Amino acid sequence: ASSRAAVFAHAEDVRRDFGTAHFVVNNAGVSVVGTVAHLSIEEIEWQLAINLWGPIYGTKAFLPMMLAQREGCIVNISSVFGLVGFPLQSAYNISKFGVRGLTECLWSELEGTGVRAVCVHPGGIRTSIEKSARRAQAAGDEEAAFEGMADRMLVTPPEKCAADILAGVERGRKRILTGNLSTTLYWLARLLPNAYPAVIRALAK
């Protein structure tokens, strides 16, 4: 997903083999655990290359054919960490807030084109992302503690998440919340936009 050439080549393969695309799900994601102070620029760049540039490439590669046929749906996977800033997930937050911004901008830009954009905010889904997560090289005790907390939060089966996404797309939803704490964090950000960090710190303990 971080290779622009590979994503655009895949889009051309789809066009050649199937004629067009009707649904695109930009789902690639990784995580690096670390505070802003502990993360290196290179670690942040690695995170953004996959989590943010991947959906940008996927959108740009497939959007032209969808606009040409005046039909299609781009599903971008953000996160609950695209709704709230979460300690020790700074690079991940940047990427997922970026995916949210991209998708919400498309809501307006695609109006009347026949093409839809959907933003998904999964909560604690039990995928393998925590096993493949990196830890900042300059990490301290804070980062080590986060890993145990992540294991407690990642409880929703991925099958449930996938079913919620498909159901939401079928119903025409623009935003889909799914997984552990997703609804809680959504409303927390909306109702306490300036005060929610105190609640987040309590959850993170």
Side-chain angles (χ1 to χ4, degrees):
S2 62
S3 169
R4 177 171 62 179
V7 174
F8 277 78
H10 175 61
E12 285 306 309
D13 289 344
V14 169
R15 188 198 302 272
R16 181 196 65 221
D17 295 341
F18 301 102
T20 189
H22 301 281
F23 292 89
V24 172
V25 180
N26 291 310
N27 187 43
V30 294
S31 178
V32 54
V33 179
T35 63
V36 175
H38 289 165
L39 286 169
S40 67
I41 291 294
E42 291 74 18
E43 288 168 329
I44 295 172
E45 287 175 339
W46 172 78
Q47 174 84 90
L48 298 186
I50 298 170
N51 286 24
L52 181 55
W53 278 106
I56 293 171
Y57 295 152
T59 298
K60 288 290 291 179
F62 286 94
L63 184 58
M65 65 181 84
M66 291 183 174
L67 288 172
Q69 69 198 16
R70 298 191 63 81
E71 184 270 329
C73 182
I74 296 172
V75 181
N76 288 328
I77 308 299
S78 178
S79 168
V80 289
F81 291 173
L83 298 170
V84 298
F86 205 90
L88 301 163
Q89 287 287 279
S90 52
Y92 192 82
N93 277 140
I94 294 166
S95 69
K96 294 304 186 177
F97 269 84
V99 171
R100 175 186 171 188
L102 165 67
T103 313
E104 292 187 9
C105 180
L106 287 171
W107 290 349
S108 297
E109 293 182 353
L110 296 178
E111 186 70 29
T113 67
V115 183
R116 295 191 292 140
V118 179
C119 194
V120 182
H121 297 281
I125 311 299
R126 186 159 288 285
T127 65
S128 60
I129 191 168
E130 83 282 2
K131 296 181 178 64
S132 61
R134 297 184 181 183
R135 190 194 296 183
Q137 289 188 348
D141 294 339
E142 296 168 280
E143 283 82 1
F146 177 84
E147 293 174 3
M149 184 211 67
D151 189 59
R152 295 193 307 272
M153 292 180 65
L154 302 175
V155 297
T156 301
E159 296 84 0
K160 173 68 165 58
C161 176
D164 287 345
I165 293 171
L166 291 175
V169 169
E170 187 176 9
R171 292 178 186 136
R173 299 273 174 81
K174 288 184 175 181
R175 190 189 313 279
I176 298 171
L177 304 173
T178 178
N180 185 37
L181 294 178
S182 58
T183 303
T184 299
L185 293 177
Y186 172 75
W187 284 109
L188 188 63
R190 286 181 63 86
L191 298 175
L192 299 171
N194 298 325
Y196 77 75
V199 181
I200 293 295
R201 286 194 298 272
L203 282 174
K205 290 182 180 178

